[in-house]
Amino acid sequence: MKYRLLTKDELEELEKEFVTFLAANGIPAEDWVRIKENEPAKSQELIAIFSDVVFDKILSQVHYLEHRQPDIIRIFRFGEEKVIMNGLRLEGKSAIDFTKNQDVTALMQLFKLSPGKLKIFTAEKTYQKDRLQEIFQLMQNSAQILKDDRLFSTIEQLKNAKP
């Protein structure tokens, strides 16, 4: 198993897809009922395979993740061979709390009004594991999927604008 088993709730949400998966593997509904009742190890194995298929599909579409703490925000961009992380750290007193979901414009307004100092940092690394497994690991550590690159690009612009 590459990731984790889907929870019961997740499986219920994906019932239609699971039925399609079973059918594609030559397992009709009546056989699935029999397997669940008489071969629990085999049913868990099938759920594990399906779980990996689901996670592979989701994770392959991820290009950006964000990880927020009250005083730090990290945005990860996943390329083919490496991940680049851009981040912001607040030092000193500030009214800004990165865990509050504010858009880029609102954050920029708060930075201008904040007495705290803003530090920009960046890092990059090549993948130590499979790309999808690295994305999964960050998500297990509370990183969230970002649909667009606005925040990553904004930090990149701030970083490049530094004297």
Side-chain angles (χ1 to χ4, degrees):
M1 165 149 257
K2 288 169 45 177
Y3 307 108
R4 68 167 172 79
L5 286 177
L6 293 168
T7 65
K8 184 178 179 185
D9 289 341
E10 290 167 336
L11 277 171
E12 287 173 3
E13 287 286 319
L14 296 168
E15 181 179 2
K16 183 178 175 185
E17 291 83 354
F18 187 59
V19 169
T20 302
F21 167 80
L22 291 173
N25 285 284
I27 302 171
E30 56 277 359
D31 286 357
W32 173 243
V33 171
R34 184 189 49 75
I35 291 169
K36 277 195 325 186
E37 291 174 1
N38 301 326
E39 301 176 65
K42 185 173 181 178
S43 71
Q44 284 300 302
E45 182 183 331
L46 287 166
I47 292 171
I49 293 167
F50 178 71
S51 296
D52 281 346
V53 168
V54 168
F55 280 112
D56 275 343
K57 183 176 180 179
I58 292 168
L59 297 172
S60 67
Q61 297 173 19
V62 172
H63 299 286
Y64 294 92
L65 289 179
E66 71 175 348
H67 184 264
R68 293 178 182 240
Q69 295 173 280
D71 60 341
I72 298 174
I73 187 167
R74 294 175 186 92
I75 307 298
F76 302 89
R77 180 175 65 193
F78 296 92
E80 289 300 313
E81 297 177 14
K82 66 182 176 180
V83 59
I84 298 172
M85 184 263 310
N86 280 339
L88 299 173
R89 173 177 293 140
L90 293 169
E91 295 178 346
K93 290 192 172 202
S94 175
I96 298 172
D97 180 348
F98 287 132
T99 60
K100 294 189 171 123
N101 212 3
Q102 298 153 323
D103 67 18
V104 174
T105 307
L107 280 174
M108 295 309 289
Q109 295 282 41
L110 285 171
F111 290 143
K112 291 176 184 173
L113 301 172
S114 177
K117 191 172 184 180
L118 182 65
K119 294 280 188 176
I120 300 168
F121 57 96
T122 191
E124 66 179 61
K125 74 170 194 156
T126 56
Y127 299 116
Q128 304 301 308
K129 305 176 192 170
D130 175 73
R131 177 184 179 275
L132 302 183
Q133 289 180 325
E134 293 218 16
I135 293 170
F136 180 78
Q137 187 63 48
L138 282 168
M139 290 178 69
Q140 290 297 102
N141 291 320
S142 72
Q144 302 292 314
I145 296 173
L146 270 179
K147 297 288 185 192
D148 62 52
D149 70 342
R150 265 186 79 195
L151 192 50
F152 185 90
S153 296
T154 299
I155 296 171
E156 192 76 14
Q157 290 170 1
L158 289 170
K159 181 178 75 175
N160 293 333
K162 288 179 75 173

